[in-house]
Amino acid sequence: MSTWLDDVFPVTKPIIGMCHLPALPGDPAYDKNGGMDAIIAHARHEITALQEGGVDGILISNEFSLPYLTETEPITAISMARVIGEIRSELSVPFGVNVLWDAVRSIDLAVATGASFVREIFTGVYASDFGLWNTNVGKTARHRQAVSGGDVRLLFNIVPEAAAYVAERDLAQLTRSTVFNCVPDGLCVSGLTAGAPTDTSTLKIVKEHAGCTPVFVNTGVRPDTLAESMKFADAGIVGTFFKKDGKFENDVDKARVEDLMSVARSVR
């Protein structure tokens, strides 16, 4: 069955590599000495390694803005827009953005930079490491229209990292109700944190009840797990494995990108 993925990506079951930006102005770990120039240089290195390694798409996020806000300060999206503006001409694959964890600002950034998709928490109420986490998907969907973002695809985290639903909900029912009520463009299935394995049985349940909505395996993708994940997922998002020595805090290692993409091509 054809989906919007076929319009955006030239391959089936695309692999999207993460470009994790360093801490930004206003973040606790921001490097004032290196400043924005260092962040831009880092982003340029990451996208070069990802693209030369063969990824099908890139997702740019403020991954090192820890601890995250659910309503970000204006400087965060503004800084990300500066970075993307500097490297935009060097992006040769489709790209998306994620302003953690702020759905509205993510959409704004996508519209301003020409991103094809956004990954965020768009629906649900959670108890999380960042406090009580509420959403307003109806308001967010209307905001997308108000800022002329109707073409920006919204990838919903159906099993969010570092969070749990306030009310216990059956995953199959949750998937069906999210698809029916919220009309997501994609569903992302995650492990507990960045780099944590995504449970295959969870991925299978979401896929079985998602209808024609594409399903993404969102964390823990490695060469030895890719084939099993792609039995159920329509695409994969990879961050930690692509880093040197497979460590979240390290830079992207082109050789590791090439290794995983070789497996990805063999299982399509």
Side-chain angles (χ1 to χ4, degrees):
M1 182 182 298
S2 178
T3 71
W4 64 270
L5 288 175
D6 301 303
D7 298 326
V8 174
F9 299 98
V11 298
T12 59
K13 296 187 180 292
I15 298 297
I16 299 166
M18 293 295 306
C19 174
H20 291 163
L21 298 181
L24 300 169
D27 292 336
Y30 175 60
D31 176 12
K32 292 188 292 185
N33 294 324
M36 287 298 299
D37 287 344
I39 294 171
I40 293 164
H42 177 85
R44 181 170 282 117
H45 170 272
E46 299 291 273
I47 68 163
T48 299
L50 289 168
Q51 290 181 155
E52 291 183 353
V55 297
D56 305 305
I58 289 175
L59 177 58
I60 301 168
S61 74
N62 58 322
E63 208 79 13
F64 290 99
S65 289
L66 290 161
Y68 303 128
L69 294 168
T70 54
E71 292 184 14
T72 57
E73 299 293 340
I75 189 64
T76 302
I78 291 170
S79 298
M80 293 178 72
R82 161 84 188 280
V83 173
I84 295 170
E86 294 278 357
I87 65 173
R88 181 70 177 83
S89 63
E90 300 164 46
L91 284 163
S92 59
V93 296
F95 76 98
V97 296
N98 187 186
V99 182
L100 296 160
W101 284 103
D102 192 327
V104 169
R105 296 292 82 83
S106 293
I107 291 169
D108 289 345
L109 181 62
V111 172
T113 60
S116 298
F117 55 93
V118 165
R119 180 189 65 180
E120 252 304 337
I121 304 295
F122 290 105
T123 183
V125 181
Y126 308 88
S128 80
D129 291 350
F130 313 110
L132 187 62
W133 192 341
N134 201 359
T135 61
N136 189 333
V137 65
K139 184 176 180 179
T140 302
R142 285 162 177 79
H143 178 79
R144 176 172 62 161
Q145 292 303 115
V147 297
S148 302
D151 292 336
V152 177
R153 301 294 183 168
L154 305 185
L155 310 186
F156 285 45
N157 278 289
I158 190 69
V159 184
E161 302 166 35
Y165 267 95
V166 171
E168 185 175 344
R169 301 186 68 185
D170 175 82
L171 182 58
Q173 294 178 340
L174 171 62
T175 302
R176 291 196 300 271
S177 66
T178 299
V179 169
F180 181 84
N181 290 315
C182 304
V183 199
D185 295 303
L187 297 174
C188 295
V189 185
S190 307
L192 180 62
T193 61
T198 298
D199 185 77
T200 304
S201 63
T202 301
L203 193 62
K204 182 175 183 289
I205 291 170
V206 173
K207 181 61 180 175
E208 287 175 346
H209 295 274
C212 61
T213 302
V215 173
F216 293 68
V217 54
N218 195 44
T219 66
V221 178
R222 305 187 308 268
D224 60 318
T225 64
L226 184 61
E228 184 67 20
S229 294
M230 285 304 176
K231 289 179 182 178
F232 309 107
D234 301 291
I237 299 176
V238 186
T240 301
F241 178 80
F242 285 158
K243 305 294 189 74
K244 183 178 180 180
D245 299 325
K247 294 184 177 180
F248 173 75
E249 64 272 17
N250 290 344
D251 292 349
V252 170
D253 182 342
K254 176 184 169 183
R256 293 177 70 91
V257 180
E258 291 174 334
D259 287 347
L260 189 138
M261 291 310 300
S262 177
V263 176
R265 287 189 289 273
S266 72
V267 302
R268 285 174 177 158

